Amino acid sequence: MPPILQGIITIIIGVGGCVGYFYAANLFLDKVLFPARGPNAGRNINRANIVRPWVFLFPAVFALGLYLVYPVVGSFIRSMYDRSGDEFVGAGNYIRLFNNPDFRQAFLNNILWALVVPAVTTFMGLLIAQLTDRLKWGNIAKSIIFMPMAISFVGASLIWKFVYAQDPDLGIINAIRASFGGEALDPLQIPFWNNFLLMVILIWIQTGFSMVILSAALRGVPEETIEAAIIDGANPFQVFFKIKVPQIIGTIVVVWTTITILVLKVFDIVYTMTGGNYGTEILPSFMMDFMFRDDGQATAVAFVIMLVVLPVMIWNIVQARKEMR
Amino acid sequence: MKKFYLASAAALAISATGALADGHVEHVFPVGEGAFNWDSYTAYADAFDLSGQELTITGPWTGADAELVNSVIDYFESATGATVQYSGSDNFEQDIVIATQAGSAPNIAVFPQPGLMTDLAARGALTPLSAETADWIRANYAAGDSWVSLGTAAGADGEEGLYGFFYKVDLKSLVWYSPEAFEEAGYDVPETMEELLALNDQIVADGETPWCIGLGSGGATGWPATDWVEDLMLRTQSPDVYDAWVSNEMPFNSPEVVNAIETFGTFARNGDYVNGGVEAVASTDFRESPLGLFTFPAECYMHRQASFIPTFFPEDADSDFFYFPAYESEDLGSPVLGAGTLFGITQDSDAAQAFMAFLQTEISHEIWMAQSGFLTPHTGVNSELFASDTLRQMNDILLGATTFRFDASDLMPSEIGQGIFWSGMVDYVGGEDAASVAGRIQDRWAEIQ
């Protein structure tokens, strides 16, 4: 079977299966289990309405339990055992990790990623959304900025590998340096700063996403508030920062956290660009070094990553709840 | 209409059951022509019939190498009627471990090193090969015993068994050069390390660059540097010191090893010696690195790399090699560093067993020999068939070394040999101190034990 056909069939089965499940489950509930007929019609309708949410939630809860809760608990238990999983070592793996200079480096780099990438991406997205809002060719600009979203991380990394190439005939950075008569250098080997060069790739991919979401949010700001501010003599900056931003802060938080979570999962960029060498290691790529060799260490790293994500998640849920009220 | 389909399906089925379905496979060398050992092919084809069976093989060979291995597999397919799926991956080391743990292992895996095979054998992911296979290797491979012991590992039950069958051997102690460029500049091939070092300085004095060194290899970046260090270990220490280093009886950060790393540094960390400067060493892909030999004017004159590398040379490149020489002053003979790929069964089936038997036919070696980048310890093959004198001379070096040692990083635990040793060498080339790199590697090794 050609891959394209496989893909189409997968999509049909996947989407059709989802729709089919809800439709059939609903039908079964209303027609077979608690039919709205006969002597207990009223009671049946009430019962069906009590059960219905659970029926609809079941696939999500089941999948989450199987693919998230069980592995989390399993990983935590595994991280208390030694490399082959035979001997209980308690916190030994964690102690070893924090004594490992490579781990500390990866941890700090990861913190750097989690601070810089979401901030820059959200800021750029907001800026572009605002600037393109009133432009005639704004939609074209938006489309172009949104395009990298469609490129896989590995694909994007390969593109940027050419940008950073050491050969002045290929690499833009070195071409510019060469035109000023500078020596060719490998940007990816500059300690500390090379981390930022890798972050640029993710920012480039994700800016389009944050721009689209924030652009929609900006459109949702009521015109009356803006008009009132202008009549009161607010300048454009005041309108933007004091009127618009406070009204879309909820959306900004959502974009920020979404990208933060993405950052903590990213490893393909580092892996394809530097292989984690030259001090660019981050936690997921550090975990790869241990995976299937010393699973005790690997699961401990996985757990550390989860602990880093947790506050972001909790904050996100709290914010979402505030929105609901 | 339906009748017509049925009839043609029946006809197909009948033709497929014929022992030789030659017409269906494109062969590189037509069966029955040339000096190949076609008797071994027909004898094998008569002995095995696997019509309709499927066999999956995964290995580290991609690109040109994948085409070459497929050209050999074609003969297996036509001889047996089985269909083979070969898929190669640049990250084979990780992929195969994941596949065996996930229960989606291929029938046969091609291991680039015994270290990984040993790991998987200990987990019970491999099926041991028969005792007859071990006897066959002893009888038909030059230095057969050592190939058997390198392919032997302890299984999940602690029982020692033969798990890997060596097919395709690489010779590593080679320096590649362009004879034209050497002639043009009036350089002679160095016979000793002392002469080689003099040549280095001679080339620099002429305003040229002696070496092309590239360590880039995706997730395996750094491995070419480990070959350098191993070769220099064999040239500065006796073989038993090398063995002690491999088994970690002698710590990784002992002065002998640090000295070998620093000797490598005298080549790789010297900006005058390497094409593109020291920074380019770590970032240049090992497949692109030798291209500098064949540019005009030459970007570099020498490239130390294993026997497989001509596969990545330009089509029309005129290349030759010389043995990476030993120090005359050290008096350690002519040590040779080598490696090889092993075939192991990760999911047993009739077709997998038959394929292992196929690797024992002369023809399976000769088909690749006659193309490029293939050496074999098989003594029964017709060495006339080597694609070039170059390969034939290499095979002679391989069969006539005073000391033959297997690639150390391939024998070390995979966490060391295919992990921190690689990245450590990248750090070293990047400017870190040899003793501190070696210390980190030793610390990690100590953790494992």
PDB file of all heavy atoms in Angstrom, chain B residues 102-116:
ATOM      1  N   ALA B 102      10.615  -2.773  22.317  1.00  0.00           N
ATOM      2  CA  ALA B 102       9.207  -2.581  21.983  1.00  0.00           C
ATOM      3  C   ALA B 102       8.624  -3.827  21.346  1.00  0.00           C
ATOM      4  O   ALA B 102       7.443  -3.867  21.012  1.00  0.00           O
ATOM      5  CB  ALA B 102       9.062  -1.391  21.038  1.00  0.00           C
ATOM      6  N   GLY B 103       9.467  -4.852  21.148  1.00  0.00           N
ATOM      7  CA  GLY B 103       8.967  -6.084  20.550  1.00  0.00           C
ATOM      8  C   GLY B 103       8.720  -5.948  19.056  1.00  0.00           C
ATOM      9  O   GLY B 103       7.969  -6.725  18.483  1.00  0.00           O
ATOM     10  N   SER B 104       9.347  -4.944  18.424  1.00  0.00           N
ATOM     11  CA  SER B 104       9.145  -4.787  16.983  1.00  0.00           C
ATOM     12  C   SER B 104      10.471  -4.980  16.268  1.00  0.00           C
ATOM     13  O   SER B 104      10.788  -4.295  15.310  1.00  0.00           O
ATOM     14  CB  SER B 104       8.588  -3.404  16.676  1.00  0.00           C
ATOM     15  OG  SER B 104       9.496  -2.419  17.137  1.00  0.00           O
ATOM     16  N   ALA B 105      11.272  -5.924  16.769  1.00  0.00           N
ATOM     17  CA  ALA B 105      12.603  -6.125  16.211  1.00  0.00           C
ATOM     18  C   ALA B 105      12.518  -6.713  14.809  1.00  0.00           C
ATOM     19  O   ALA B 105      11.587  -7.444  14.498  1.00  0.00           O
ATOM     20  CB  ALA B 105      13.404  -7.050  17.114  1.00  0.00           C
ATOM     21  N   PRO B 106      13.499  -6.378  13.956  1.00  0.00           N
ATOM     22  CA  PRO B 106      13.575  -7.022  12.645  1.00  0.00           C
ATOM     23  C   PRO B 106      14.035  -8.470  12.822  1.00  0.00           C
ATOM     24  O   PRO B 106      14.394  -8.872  13.933  1.00  0.00           O
ATOM     25  CB  PRO B 106      14.649  -6.204  11.933  1.00  0.00           C
ATOM     26  CG  PRO B 106      15.523  -5.727  13.043  1.00  0.00           C
ATOM     27  CD  PRO B 106      14.606  -5.461  14.190  1.00  0.00           C
ATOM     28  N   ASN B 107      14.037  -9.248  11.736  1.00  0.00           N
ATOM     29  CA  ASN B 107      14.556 -10.613  11.846  1.00  0.00           C
ATOM     30  C   ASN B 107      16.056 -10.599  12.100  1.00  0.00           C
ATOM     31  O   ASN B 107      16.568 -11.333  12.933  1.00  0.00           O
ATOM     32  CB  ASN B 107      14.287 -11.398  10.559  1.00  0.00           C
ATOM     33  CG  ASN B 107      12.798 -11.578  10.311  1.00  0.00           C
ATOM     34  OD1 ASN B 107      12.264 -11.051   9.354  1.00  0.00           O
ATOM     35  ND2 ASN B 107      12.130 -12.281  11.206  1.00  0.00           N
ATOM     36  N   ILE B 108      16.735  -9.721  11.346  1.00  0.00           N
ATOM     37  CA  ILE B 108      18.190  -9.686  11.460  1.00  0.00           C
ATOM     38  C   ILE B 108      18.637  -8.245  11.665  1.00  0.00           C
ATOM     39  O   ILE B 108      18.107  -7.330  11.036  1.00  0.00           O
ATOM     40  CB  ILE B 108      18.848 -10.265  10.190  1.00  0.00           C
ATOM     41  CG1 ILE B 108      18.615 -11.776  10.149  1.00  0.00           C
ATOM     42  CG2 ILE B 108      20.337  -9.952  10.135  1.00  0.00           C
ATOM     43  CD1 ILE B 108      19.228 -12.465   8.962  1.00  0.00           C
ATOM     44  N   ALA B 109      19.589  -8.050  12.563  1.00  0.00           N
ATOM     45  CA  ALA B 109      20.147  -6.731  12.776  1.00  0.00           C
ATOM     46  C   ALA B 109      21.626  -6.787  12.418  1.00  0.00           C
ATOM     47  O   ALA B 109      22.298  -7.789  12.672  1.00  0.00           O
ATOM     48  CB  ALA B 109      19.984  -6.298  14.227  1.00  0.00           C
ATOM     49  N   VAL B 110      22.114  -5.714  11.812  1.00  0.00           N
ATOM     50  CA  VAL B 110      23.523  -5.632  11.454  1.00  0.00           C
ATOM     51  C   VAL B 110      24.188  -4.692  12.449  1.00  0.00           C
ATOM     52  O   VAL B 110      23.954  -3.485  12.410  1.00  0.00           O
ATOM     53  CB  VAL B 110      23.689  -5.072  10.027  1.00  0.00           C
ATOM     54  CG1 VAL B 110      25.143  -5.141   9.622  1.00  0.00           C
ATOM     55  CG2 VAL B 110      22.809  -5.819   9.048  1.00  0.00           C
ATOM     56  N   PHE B 111      24.979  -5.251  13.339  1.00  0.00           N
ATOM     57  CA  PHE B 111      25.572  -4.429  14.401  1.00  0.00           C
ATOM     58  C   PHE B 111      26.885  -3.831  13.946  1.00  0.00           C
ATOM     59  O   PHE B 111      27.755  -4.537  13.461  1.00  0.00           O
ATOM     60  CB  PHE B 111      25.805  -5.270  15.654  1.00  0.00           C
ATOM     61  CG  PHE B 111      24.546  -5.770  16.259  1.00  0.00           C
ATOM     62  CD1 PHE B 111      24.178  -7.099  16.117  1.00  0.00           C
ATOM     63  CD2 PHE B 111      23.699  -4.925  16.944  1.00  0.00           C
ATOM     64  CE1 PHE B 111      23.000  -7.575  16.657  1.00  0.00           C
ATOM     65  CE2 PHE B 111      22.521  -5.382  17.490  1.00  0.00           C
ATOM     66  CZ  PHE B 111      22.177  -6.715  17.353  1.00  0.00           C
ATOM     67  N   PRO B 112      27.031  -2.516  14.125  1.00  0.00           N
ATOM     68  CA  PRO B 112      28.305  -1.902  13.755  1.00  0.00           C
ATOM     69  C   PRO B 112      29.418  -2.235  14.739  1.00  0.00           C
ATOM     70  O   PRO B 112      30.578  -2.021  14.436  1.00  0.00           O
ATOM     71  CB  PRO B 112      28.013  -0.407  13.757  1.00  0.00           C
ATOM     72  CG  PRO B 112      26.699  -0.226  14.388  1.00  0.00           C
ATOM     73  CD  PRO B 112      26.043  -1.530  14.586  1.00  0.00           C
ATOM     74  N   GLN B 113      29.078  -2.743  15.909  1.00  0.00           N
ATOM     75  CA  GLN B 113      30.127  -3.106  16.849  1.00  0.00           C
ATOM     76  C   GLN B 113      29.653  -4.178  17.819  1.00  0.00           C
ATOM     77  O   GLN B 113      28.474  -4.275  18.112  1.00  0.00           O
ATOM     78  CB  GLN B 113      30.615  -1.897  17.643  1.00  0.00           C
ATOM     79  CG  GLN B 113      29.618  -1.326  18.634  1.00  0.00           C
ATOM     80  CD  GLN B 113      28.824  -0.217  18.023  1.00  0.00           C
ATOM     81  OE1 GLN B 113      29.306   0.471  17.153  1.00  0.00           O
ATOM     82  NE2 GLN B 113      27.588  -0.047  18.455  1.00  0.00           N
ATOM     83  N   PRO B 114      30.640  -5.002  18.315  1.00  0.00           N
ATOM     84  CA  PRO B 114      30.275  -6.076  19.236  1.00  0.00           C
ATOM     85  C   PRO B 114      29.696  -5.556  20.553  1.00  0.00           C
ATOM     86  O   PRO B 114      28.910  -6.255  21.182  1.00  0.00           O
ATOM     87  CB  PRO B 114      31.596  -6.800  19.493  1.00  0.00           C
ATOM     88  CG  PRO B 114      32.519  -6.345  18.437  1.00  0.00           C
ATOM     89  CD  PRO B 114      32.072  -5.000  18.008  1.00  0.00           C
ATOM     90  N   GLY B 115      30.091  -4.345  20.970  1.00  0.00           N
ATOM     91  CA  GLY B 115      29.627  -3.819  22.261  1.00  0.00           C
ATOM     92  C   GLY B 115      28.110  -3.823  22.362  1.00  0.00           C
ATOM     93  O   GLY B 115      27.525  -4.305  23.334  1.00  0.00           O
ATOM     94  N   LEU B 116      27.481  -3.295  21.316  1.00  0.00           N
ATOM     95  CA  LEU B 116      26.025  -3.218  21.291  1.00  0.00           C
ATOM     96  C   LEU B 116      25.411  -4.618  21.230  1.00  0.00           C
ATOM     97  O   LEU B 116      24.414  -4.898  21.890  1.00  0.00           O
ATOM     98  CB  LEU B 116      25.608  -2.393  20.068  1.00  0.00           C
ATOM     99  CG  LEU B 116      24.123  -2.150  19.839  1.00  0.00           C
ATOM    100  CD1 LEU B 116      23.530  -1.384  20.992  1.00  0.00           C
ATOM    101  CD2 LEU B 116      23.924  -1.372  18.538  1.00  0.00           C
TER     102      LEU B 116
END
